[in-house]
Amino acid sequence: MQSKLFRRQRIAILDPDLRGREHARRAIRATGHAPYVFADIEEMQEVDATERPFAMAYLGCASGDETIEQTVREVRACLGDTLPLLLAVKPVAVRRVAQAPTIAADHVIPLQPRFSELYLEISDFMWAHGPHPQQTSLNWGEFRFRPAARTVQIGEALPMSLSIFHFELALELFHNVGRSLSRSWLNTMLAPPSRAISALAFQDGVNRVRHLLALQTPAAWQVQSLEDGAVRLVAVAPEASRPALGSAVPRLANRARTGHGFQSLMTLS
């Protein structure tokens, strides 16, 4: 349960990559704060000044140094020079960008292809620069996911460790309760860079998660296999799909400005 003293803060997210900004959005929500998501700087600049008192900004940028420098400069012009700014760039560019005197970021990290790794990076940055995270787990009903340990606890049972793939696949399902997730979408959110996951590997992974977490009839949560390799997690009990108090989804007031028809899905790869 959240402390009565806790104050949810607005966090700006700017990343042109769908997977990157969706991971960041989910990570911010998992800390108990309110993500404002932008696909480009123009979207951010369109926000009225009265809506811009952000407590922190996350910027994902896979471009070259000149584009990174320009984007950081534009974000600073839009949000202010003192706002804590976490910048994610390609791994090979981290040291160079971090040492560049013309790039005004408070901390530079490598772009993370996995949600759980980005969640930990964002949490660490929040502890160092504020606002502090309010939660350390992501909860749905009796299911408690802890990214730092990569464990899942069901009710009062002992936490179980999952492989990184099964952990992130399970969270992708839970962040999309009731939604049909195509194999294409799962590849977009879970596959390693420049490498697709085969249909057989996905099916084996889904079967493994279903078995480990008992997501099958007659349980209150069930993973359904659909046509064309799609899958869907459904909550049989009406209240089951609602995140527990202090869990990863703070409320719809935490607006996400991610473009037209953007589907909110979360990953842990």
Side-chain angles (χ1 to χ4, degrees), residues 29-263:
R29 294 184 75 173
T31 67
H33 294 288
Y36 277 56
V37 186
F38 308 94
D40 53 51
I41 189 64
E42 286 77 18
E43 284 188 359
M44 180 177 286
Q45 291 167 338
E46 289 173 1
V47 175
D48 189 87
T50 59
E51 295 186 34
R52 291 187 201 168
F54 295 111
M56 171 191 150
Y58 167 84
L59 170 59
C61 190
S63 304
D65 291 10
E66 289 186 5
T67 301
I68 294 171
E69 181 178 345
Q70 178 183 345
T71 305
V72 170
R73 189 166 55 247
E74 291 173 334
V75 169
R76 285 298 189 196
C78 186
L79 303 183
D81 293 331
T82 60
L83 185 76
L85 174 60
L86 177 61
L87 173 62
V89 299
K90 289 181 178 179
V92 296
V94 170
R95 185 175 180 180
R96 184 175 66 251
V97 170
Q99 294 175 345
T102 56
I103 298 178
D106 293 282
H107 188 52
V108 182
I109 62 172
L111 286 163
Q112 300 291 352
R114 297 187 176 98
F115 165 82
S116 52
E117 292 170 349
L118 179 59
Y119 169 83
L120 295 177
E121 291 276 19
I122 287 177
S123 294
D124 287 346
F125 182 82
M126 284 181 161
W127 283 115
H129 299 274
H132 290 171
Q134 174 66 7
Q135 297 129 206
T136 58
S137 65
L138 298 89
N139 310 324
W140 286 266
E142 293 190 331
F143 291 85
R144 178 174 298 170
F145 292 78
R146 294 189 181 277
R150 211 164 64 225
T151 60
V152 182
Q153 183 176 8
I154 306 173
E156 299 301 318
L158 292 174
M160 70 179 83
S161 296
L162 272 63
S163 72
I164 189 67
F165 175 66
H166 293 131
F167 184 75
E168 303 236 354
L169 175 58
L171 265 173
E172 187 65 38
L173 293 168
F174 273 91
H175 277 102
N176 295 282
V177 176
R179 291 193 179 104
S180 173
L181 304 182
S182 68
R183 196 159 63 238
S184 173
W185 176 262
L186 291 173
N187 254 308
T188 296
M189 300 304 291
L190 296 171
S194 305
R195 183 161 62 88
I197 300 174
S198 69
L200 179 59
F202 266 129
Q203 189 56 56
D204 287 347
V206 169
N207 288 339
R208 182 65 174 160
V209 168
R210 182 189 282 125
H211 171 72
L212 288 172
L213 304 187
L215 301 174
Q216 51 205 344
T217 306
W221 300 81
Q222 299 172 19
V223 174
Q224 301 174 339
S225 296
L226 309 175
E227 296 180 0
D228 300 323
V231 293
R232 178 173 59 211
L233 176 65
V234 295
V236 178
E239 70 281 359
S241 64
R242 299 173 190 163
L245 263 179
S247 75
V249 183
R251 52 174 99 154
L252 291 179
N254 298 347
R255 297 173 17 188
R257 297 171 56 89
T258 50
H260 302 295
F262 178 74
Q263 237 186 345

Side-chain angles (χ1 to χ4, degrees), residues 13-26 37-39 58 60 118 184-185 187-189 258-267:
I13 297 167
L14 173 59
D15 193 332
D17 177 67
L18 169 62
R19 177 169 173 169
R21 65 178 178 267
E22 180 60 9
H23 280 181
R25 183 190 70 81
R26 295 172 179 181
V37 186
F38 308 94
Y58 167 84
L118 179 59
S184 173
W185 176 262
N187 254 308
T188 296
M189 300 304 291
T258 50
H260 302 295
F262 178 74
Q263 237 186 345
S264 108
L265 296 104
M266 181 162 189
T267 290

